[in-house]
Amino acid sequence: MDEIKENLNGLNLNGTMTTTPAGGEDKLESCRKTSTSEEPESPGTTGTPLLAPSDFSDPVYKEIALANGHINRMTKDELRDKLSELQLDTRGVKDVMKKRLKSHYKKQKLTASVAAGGPTDTCYDYICVVDYEATCEEDNPSEFQHEIIEFPMVLINTHTLEIEDTFQEYVRPEVNPELSDFCVQLTGITQKMVDEADTFPAVLQRVVLWLQERELGTKHKYAMLTDGSWDMSKFLNIQCRVSRIRYPPFAKKWINIRKSYGNFYKVPRTQTKLSTMLEKLGMRYEGRPHSGLDDSRNIARIAVRMLKDGCQLRVNERMHAGQLLSVPNSAPMEGAPPPLNPRTRE
């Protein structure tokens, strides 16, 4: 969906153009959207925080700093050999391998310091990846009304670090019911697929049921995750207005994996496109590009790799009063609320 989303940069809810905030992020080549600046990484916020922030004077952090200095001086071959010796993943560019090794030693040292272990991700039991596909035209004029035509979800179990389940349904658009040739070619979604699908409110109701059946928000703590801010802040926000339903509370906060990836691996936002993240991690795209479900699966693969590398994925963006806001690392660690059936707008 990258080509569609690029042109949404700075588009407000009424379809007019506004200025992109400083530090806003791009989607891919031709589909940009408004975002907020990345939060700086704080000590212990993206790794495994086994000691409280007040404990950063602990001698263990000096040991970690010394280990990091040694790792910084290692060559790519030395990094690969050490990772292999530790039975860790040896794929990825040099900076990724350095971060992987540093995270391994940091977790090892902190775990020994407090005599504690546990899963890599201590925030949520599940992470639910979403990457919508929407109606589009080749030039994407600013007045064009995008509507969601594919609603996929990929569920990651953060304890097993595996993709546990998936959901996918196509959606029948109402404002622009006829798909453009460009949209069909880009997404692989045909006119027949959407003609036979339900409208968005009915699909969203089945999404809610799917989440409820997995006891997310009740028995299990979970969070939503997207590849950028546009899926929630633009596509879902606009779709809810079109469908005359309230924005679902469970989608008001999410993990923007691009911010998490950039902060964790210390790379600029220009290196946080889906294809680039996969490449830098030594992985290849699996499936059909611009298929919502396949895109979601590949985003989930990146998330799993980051969790294995020691990243603590946590909510970093939210919607409030129709506006996109950043969530600082200092904010309380909250999961998404129990999903509820869609409500109509008054």
Side-chain angles (χ1 to χ4, degrees):
M1 208 60 211
D2 305 327
E3 284 78 358
I4 305 169
K5 295 172 182 175
E6 181 92 8
N7 284 339
L8 290 179
N9 182 48
L11 185 66
N12 71 16
L13 299 181
N14 297 318
T16 57
M17 298 304 291
T18 57
T19 303
T20 304
E25 60 181 324
D26 303 341
K27 176 68 171 169
L28 294 185
E29 291 76 16
S30 61
C31 255
R32 301 172 61 199
K33 286 175 112 177
T34 302
S35 180
T36 54
S37 58
E38 293 183 354
E39 294 292 326
E41 181 179 352
S42 302
T45 56
T46 54
T48 307
L50 298 178
L51 294 179
S54 60
D55 294 329
F56 289 144
S57 60
D58 192 288
V60 69
Y61 285 99
K62 183 176 181 180
E63 297 178 30
I64 292 172
L66 291 173
N68 287 346
H70 176 71
I71 292 170
N72 285 335
R73 294 188 292 273
M74 295 174 71
T75 66
K76 188 173 183 178
D77 287 339
E78 289 172 335
L79 289 166
R80 186 177 288 112
D81 289 343
K82 178 54 70 173
L83 288 168
S84 178
E85 177 185 327
L86 295 170
Q87 297 184 324
L88 299 174
D89 197 326
T90 59
R91 295 177 296 173
V93 297
K94 184 177 179 180
D95 286 343
V96 166
M97 290 193 290
K98 283 199 299 184
K99 185 64 178 181
R100 185 171 299 147
L101 192 55
K102 287 178 182 179
S103 295
H104 170 79
Y105 280 120
K106 179 180 179 181
K107 182 179 179 182
Q108 189 179 60
K109 292 290 185 182
L110 294 181
T111 300
S113 178
V114 297
T120 302
D121 187 282
T122 57
C123 301
Y124 318 105
D125 299 310
Y126 287 93
I127 292 175
C128 196
V129 181
V130 177
D131 193 81
Y132 303 117
E133 299 300 318
T135 55
C136 57
E137 294 183 351
E138 188 166 9
D139 297 328
N140 276 326
S142 59
E143 69 276 7
F144 183 78
Q145 184 74 71
H146 297 278
E147 297 173 84
I148 293 173
I149 55 175
E150 182 184 359
F151 200 136
M153 301 188 98
V154 172
L155 191 63
I156 301 171
N157 184 321
T158 64
H159 301 290
T160 64
L161 297 179
E162 293 181 350
I163 293 175
E164 187 168 297
D165 208 348
T166 63
F167 173 95
Q168 181 197 38
E169 279 205 31
Y170 296 110
V171 184
R172 185 172 77 250
E174 298 182 89
V175 176
N176 295 295
E178 293 291 325
L179 303 183
S180 67
D181 292 340
F182 173 77
C183 185
V184 172
Q185 184 177 5
L186 178 70
T187 65
I189 299 172
T190 67
Q191 189 65 47
K192 185 174 185 292
M193 289 176 180
V194 295
D195 286 345
E196 295 176 350
D198 278 329
T199 57
F200 184 78
V203 173
L204 179 58
Q205 190 163 356
R206 286 195 286 276
V207 167
V208 167
L209 179 60
W210 186 82
L211 294 170
Q212 290 174 339
E213 288 174 343
R214 283 143 191 83
E215 299 181 281
L216 300 181
T218 51
K219 181 179 179 180
H220 305 296
K221 191 175 181 180
Y222 77 110
M224 308 300 292
L225 182 148
T226 64
D227 178 29
S229 60
W230 35 87
D231 288 281
M232 300 303 195
S233 67
K234 295 299 180 183
F235 283 171
L236 181 58
N237 203 11
I238 293 171
Q239 182 64 62
C240 288
R241 288 175 175 264
V242 169
S243 298
R244 299 179 182 275
I245 59 176
R246 293 184 179 275
Y247 191 100
F250 72 83
K252 286 188 175 181
K253 296 181 181 180
W254 63 90
I255 301 164
N256 179 343
I257 197 170
R258 292 190 174 213
K259 282 188 175 182
S260 301
Y261 181 96
N263 285 337
F264 185 67
Y265 294 115
K266 303 299 184 185
V267 299
R269 62 189 177 93
T270 54
Q271 295 183 23
T272 60
K273 299 174 182 178
L274 176 55
S275 57
T276 305
M277 289 190 288
L278 286 167
E279 179 186 352
K280 297 297 184 182
L281 292 173
M283 298 188 288
R284 293 185 178 182
Y285 188 96
E286 295 180 355
R288 186 194 190 285
H290 310 300
S291 156
L293 183 58
D294 287 346
D295 282 353
S296 298
R297 286 183 181 274
N298 282 279
I299 296 164
R301 291 172 62 216
I302 293 171
V304 169
R305 178 67 270 166
M306 291 176 66
L307 291 171
K308 289 181 177 179
D309 282 352
C311 179
Q312 186 185 64
L313 292 171
R314 56 176 293 163
V315 165
N316 52 24
E317 288 185 342
R318 68 187 178 100
M319 289 292 292
H320 178 70
Q323 299 296 315
L324 172 64
L325 301 174
S326 286
V327 176
N329 287 327
S330 58
M333 203 80 70
E334 297 178 347
L340 301 175
N341 285 328
R343 297 171 55 195
T344 57
R345 289 179 178 269
E346 297 178 358

